[in-house]
Amino acid sequence: MFTDSVELTVSSGKGGQGCVAFRREKFVVNGGPNGGDGGKGGDIWFKCDNNTHTLSHFQKKMHIKADNGAPGEGSSMTGKSGAKKVIIVPPGTQIIDQDSGEILFDMLEDGQEELFLKGGKGGLGNTHFKSSTNQRPTYAQPGEKGETRRIKLDLKLIADVGLVGFPNVGKSTLISTLSNARPEIANYEFTTLTPKLGQVNIGDFESFIMADIPGIIGGAHEGKGLGIEFLRHIERTEILLFMVDLASYRDLKEQIDTLKAEVSAFSDKLANSKYAIALTRSDAVSPDEITDLVSNFLEIVGVKATKNSDIGFDDSIPYFIQDSADETLGYDRSLPYFVAPISSATQKNIEPLKKALFKLVQSKRSEL
């Protein structure tokens, strides 16, 4: 089960009670107070772990508590401190205060640890209250209470490339072709109900992460379809690959305009992201129609077909790619980096697509 948002109550441990005790030994008269201090309550920590991918291990309305400190003991012995509680979350998890809405921590890197709540201090034993006027104190401090807070864990996937398209446009097929991800693939809309991440390998030593996300429809930023459930997961992707279905009943212009509008309405950051366009299911269009179909689409997005490119796109069908993915070398962010017809079924332009996306990823990484 994939879970990307949970509400929790978390409490650090209470400090242990100080001890009231007196020294009692043979031949020791009026040995005096020797009650030890209570142990400190356990802290609450968050830790980011790459081996965790969802929040499904948290139960609904779960209350997570750290251990309390143990009471102090005689012979001035301090009680045992409560064990800290480490809450494991996947990369991309935001810890949000439920009451204020403030983002408290953003867990992004594997191994990242954050102290969230400190445990209460242990109470002082009666040995601390001995004075010239009170030789036999019978009082010890109670331990301090721990802290309790209501929080929300919000998971937003971290990927280099996010696939954006209408339902059943071929996103799952593409990511299964390019990467190690194995999403469910079927010929009906909203087959993909949960996001999937896949690693796309480039040679032996290079790779990038691609995210297959449930399909988008018009009005998604207002919650229609899977709505926000979809859009929140592309918020962290660095590059968007818009997927437009050449064989769809939807008009090509309607597809790209709707997709870009929904992304822009949801996030200004996403509206300014680097992007490319893949024209999917080229194998389902007759050879007589596809050239005109792609040429018309290039006019819609305001670009002209490229004559020669070192990426290796098939020259028998029009395509477009900018000369560079680097803005210092002329990349125009207002235009797609490339527009290319592809077919996962026949492998048309799949390898060039992978190379072109990696160039875009490399350019983005060099900016960081």
Side-chain angles (χ1 to χ4, degrees), residues 237-256:
T237 54
E238 302 292 345
I239 295 157
L240 302 180
L241 179 62
F242 290 104
M243 300 185 67
V244 175
D245 188 353
L246 289 170
S248 173
Y249 63 88
R250 297 183 179 94
D251 181 73
L252 299 185
K253 185 176 188 304
E254 175 198 348
Q255 290 185 62
I256 190 63

Side-chain angles (χ1 to χ4, degrees), residues 166 216-222 224-225 250 258-259 262:
F166 278 84
I216 188 174
I217 64 173
H221 72 281
E222 298 172 342
K224 293 182 180 178
R250 297 183 179 94
T258 301
L259 295 174
E262 291 301 320

Side-chain angles (χ1 to χ4, degrees), residues 66 69 78 113 146 184 217 231 269 294 313 317 320 342 352 361:
T78 300
E113 292 189 0
E184 180 184 356
I217 64 173
L231 289 166
K269 174 180 174 292
V294 175
F313 284 119
I317 306 175
F320 164 79
I342 68 167
V361 169

Side-chain angles (χ1 to χ4, degrees), residues 200-227:
V200 181
N201 294 318
I202 308 293
D204 294 330
F205 305 105
E206 296 282 4
S207 65
F208 63 88
I209 302 298
M210 179 177 282
D212 170 26
I213 306 165
I216 188 174
I217 64 173
H221 72 281
E222 298 172 342
K224 293 182 180 178
L226 295 179

